[in-house]
Amino acid sequence: MCGIVGYIGPENGREILMKGLARLEYRGYDSAGIAMVGSDGRLRIVRCEGKLSGLDSKLVGNPVNGTIGVAHTRWATHGRPSEENAHPHRCGPFALVHNGIIENYAPLKEELIKEGRLFSSQTDTEVIVALLEREWRKTGEYKQAVRNTLKKLKGSYAVVIVNEEEPDMLVAARNESPLIMGLSDSSFFLASDVPAILPYTRNVIYLNDEEIVFLSRQGYAIESLRDGEKKNPPVQQVNWNPIMAEKAGYKHFMLKEIYEQPRAVIDTFRSVVDLDRKEVVFPELNLEKELLEKIERVFIVACGTSYHAALVAKYMIEGLCRVPVEVDLASEFRSRNPILSDKILLLVISQSGETADTRAALKEGLDKGAHCRAIVNVVGSSIARMAQGVIYTHAGPEIGVASTKAFTTQLVALYLLAIHFARQTGKIDRETLEQCVQELIELPGKMEKVLSNTDKISAWARRFKDYKDFLYLARGALYPIALEGALKLKEISYIHAEGYAAGEMKHGPIALIDAEMPVMVLLRHGPLFEKMISNIQEVKARDGIILALIEGEPSEILGPAEFQFVLEPSSQWLSPVLFSLPLQLLAYHVAVLRGTDVDQPRNLAKSVTVE
């Protein structure tokens, strides 16, 4: 979730840009940079790996000043954190900053290299600015070069461009990545998020997809990328205070991150899915057909919420690939002296890429000759560097301690791995692969529908906030989601909750059920539906209170309609993502009503970096 700030006006913009970046630090970043055109007409760029304090230090000895410029904080997606990969990137007279993911950057880069272009970074962003410089040389016209460049890009982007040869114009555009423009009496601002510009103006325009804005010292023009049609969006006033602004108006970071999940899922799959051919391509995984065909068993190792994602993956990989899967808690993995070899694929999962137990498990696998891969959210993290290949989840920084978007993007990454594995080893045919990809493409829309209709979840929270115990029941691939739902409630509301495989209810938990026990059940139609109904009848016979998440439509068997939340049907492997959302929201709303610290619950840390 990189940060962008742009400025054009009468003031020296250096302080405006740097303070703007500081107000976006909460988004997380690993490097930063600034570019300005000075009074001498020269474009100067200063970048560094690490925090803004490091950039401030570099600016002391290498100052940049001017009345037009851009600045950026980077959260690595393509290429590890480094000064070379930091933004802004330059080519010719242009400096450019970019948020998002360019899906077709690899073929564009190959095309430019064949023309003799040299690249100094591993980023998709440098491809954009190199392409812009080429188009500018071809056309000789700045605005047309920008249009030509953007039309060649596939994916998401928010870009801001400064041009040494047009020092009185700032150009920006967006597609599926947020970008706002701020207006004051004499200045214009650009930013990826409101907090960056709040001290200077509360009048903003929210740019729409496929729109370009041309900013000069006299005014601005917004046009459609496709046909150049003039746009006149309304100027809106932001009334947030600075703390609200950091959270995009949400009360807590956790709630903001819950609602970011559809976008995080898109960013995760678009980085590895060729949407035209409906194929999965993992450039950094290093798991090709010849190696996958030799794999006889998969071990998946993780902690906490990531462990629940691993349990879902067991169902996915065994169901699609027909390879046995073992799932271990990282803290237990080494102590049992696991039997590993070069016929084993060891997959570790960690949001931070720094989890101590998971890192130790990965080392165990490497030492014993297993093929070791990782799913992480942080480029350049310890686990990402140690593993022999990696899948990045592209969830962006997750500030709330209770994991939400990291979990659902892990599920998507594991699904992508499963269908890639199955296709490479011939367990699914081309038609099935295309169907699997299509179901994934449809998933974010279904997630949006869940998140736009949550009044019933809020009502459940008000009704049950004072209960002391909850039970979560499910079967199949939804069973780990029951575990995750119970964990969320425990983590942030401090209510005792347990998740169980529904078939295990009669082996102990049934003794707890009475009129004071809410029981959350997760149901989807299929082979296990009737068995779940039998479990529900057993709960009702003991006066337990049934709360049901069900795919498709309500069922009279489940009881009152107000205690049923209906989700849109999805594939058996992706439905766990949808079922996760109302459980996250229930935990959130209960915690808020109970007055707990939602974003920083007691005794918990975001990343457990010691054993």
Side-chain angles (χ1 to χ4, degrees), residues 307-328:
Y307 174 73
H308 296 156
L311 290 173
V312 176
K314 176 180 174 69
Y315 290 91
M316 291 178 181
I317 295 172
E318 289 189 347
L320 287 165
C321 306
R322 308 309 300 155
V323 174
V325 177
E326 294 188 29
V327 179
D328 276 88

Side-chain angles (χ1 to χ4, degrees), residues 32-63:
I34 185 171
M36 303 198 77
V37 177
S39 57
D40 59 358
R42 291 180 56 202
L43 176 65
R44 291 179 175 85
I45 298 175
V46 177
R47 307 180 296 177
C48 77
E49 181 183 354
K51 297 300 181 183
L52 286 176
S53 57
L55 184 58
D56 275 324
S57 297
K58 291 191 74 170
L59 287 170
V60 171
N62 187 19

Side-chain angles (χ1 to χ4, degrees), residues 58-127:
K58 291 191 74 170
L59 287 170
V60 171
N62 187 19
V64 296
N65 295 290
T67 57
I68 181 172
V70 293
H72 191 268
T73 49
R74 177 178 186 255
W75 173 271
T77 55
H78 292 81
R80 62 182 178 83
S82 67
E83 182 174 330
E84 292 76 16
N85 289 331
H87 300 207
H89 285 284
R90 179 171 188 172
C91 190
F94 305 107
L96 180 146
V97 295
H98 163 235
N99 290 355
I101 295 174
I102 304 303
E103 297 167 20
N104 63 332
Y105 88 96
L108 290 173
K109 185 173 185 176
E110 184 178 348
E111 177 184 318
L112 289 162
I113 288 172
K114 287 179 180 177
E115 294 174 3
R117 176 74 58 192
L118 299 177
F119 288 86
S120 60
S121 80
Q122 301 163 296
T123 68
D124 53 347
T125 303
E126 191 181 3
V127 173

Side-chain angles (χ1 to χ4, degrees), residues 183-198:
L183 303 83
S184 71
D185 291 340
S186 58
S187 301
F188 297 100
F189 309 85
L190 292 160
S192 52
D193 212 346
V194 172
I197 62 173
L198 265 188

